[in-house]
Amino acid sequence: MEEKKPKRKKTHARPRAGDEALSSLLNTHGYLSGETLSKRLGLSRAALWKRMARLREKGFQIEASPGLGYRLTGTPDLSEEELRILLKGRIWGELVFLNETSSTNDVAMELAAKGAAHGTVVIADSQTLGKGRLGRRWASPPGMNIYLSVILKPDIDPKSAPIFTLLSSVAAARALRSVTGLAIEIKWPNDLVLDGKKLGGILLELRLEPGRVLHLVIGMGINVNIPRSHLPKELKSTATSLLEETGRAFKRTAVVAAVLKELERELDCLSREGRGPILQRWRELSSTLGRDVSVSLPDGGSVYGNAVGIDNSGLLMLRCKDGLMKISAGDLTPSA
Ligand code: BTN
């Protein structure tokens, strides 16, 4: 008998009580009188004062001026409250913010197994055991970068899972391009690069049942404000950050919001139009298609050839001297 597929729990990002005060301040240039705010939020002046004090504790700079009211003069670099407002009404329902964790992917996999909804997002300021591709470590110092994992529960066959890595790299590249104006590209399989230097990466993890994906977790690490001096020694010549490339610091909340909005767009596109447009965008953003490359394989070997394309499931098609090869994992280096 065919097993009935469980219904996907759907939630949408919604502001919490305290967020309404912040939302009003964020949408106002200049002062908002205490009276207007109290009325709008249905709060006494004392309760409003307490709410402002709580926001200040979270790093929001709020000026209070007798006779004029309240004015927002600064926001923290990474804020759960502001992100919830920026994502209001989108599919990203539950936001889990952690100061420090082992790995946001591990937390998301655990939460998903315990029933967390499709669209749950886990963000950490730092990770102690950040994971990269091919069993590597992902350096995750606090206060500088983005470490983000999202839980998806799509109704798909395991064979269709790789498209989620491709669509995530497309979403991240497009979001970072629009936030920074930099011509960020994708290096196969899913590195975000600028002039060949790595800005970020994506790690997809899955929990499967025969013939079905129970849940998948897309983990993204993006180097935002890390100065070169703080990059691990072995990465100094191969990695970079938005700060290094532009000379300015970016607000992590805004970058996360841009990435999640693009990710939602690509997911919508997948369900409406299938994988074709996503593969097309991936190819357009690719830094390596058409070039001669060498690929180091996970077994220690390496192959050399022309990167002629990716197939429908994201495998790299390499034209080598012995014919066409399809490669599922490895590290690609373009030939000079
Ligand atoms: C890569 O090797 O290129 C993929 C790196 C993915 C790193 C991110 S950071 C957030 C999430 N949690 C992890 O432990 N890894 C991913």
Side-chain angles (χ1 to χ4, degrees), residues 102-106 122 127 129-134 136-140 146-149 190-192 198 200-205 217-222:
S102 51
S103 148
T104 55
N105 263 33
D106 288 351
V122 182
Q127 301 182 118
L129 293 170
K131 300 188 291 186
R133 278 191 321 117
L134 306 172
R136 296 182 185 129
R137 279 271 162 265
W138 187 260
S140 312
I146 291 172
Y147 317 113
L148 160 83
S149 300
N190 42 50
D191 286 356
L192 302 163
K198 185 157 171 169
I202 288 158
L203 180 67
L204 179 81
E205 294 191 72
V217 163
I218 299 167
M220 283 188 198
I222 302 172

Side-chain angles (χ1 to χ4, degrees), residues 115-133:
H118 174 83
T120 299
V121 179
V122 182
I123 297 177
D125 183 52
S126 68
Q127 301 182 118
T128 51
L129 293 170
K131 300 188 291 186
R133 278 191 321 117

Side-chain angles (χ1 to χ4, degrees), residues 78 96-101 123-127 140 142-143 147:
L78 183 61
V96 179
F97 257 72
L98 303 164
N99 194 29
E100 180 186 279
T101 191
I123 297 177
D125 183 52
S126 68
Q127 301 182 118
S140 312
Y147 317 113

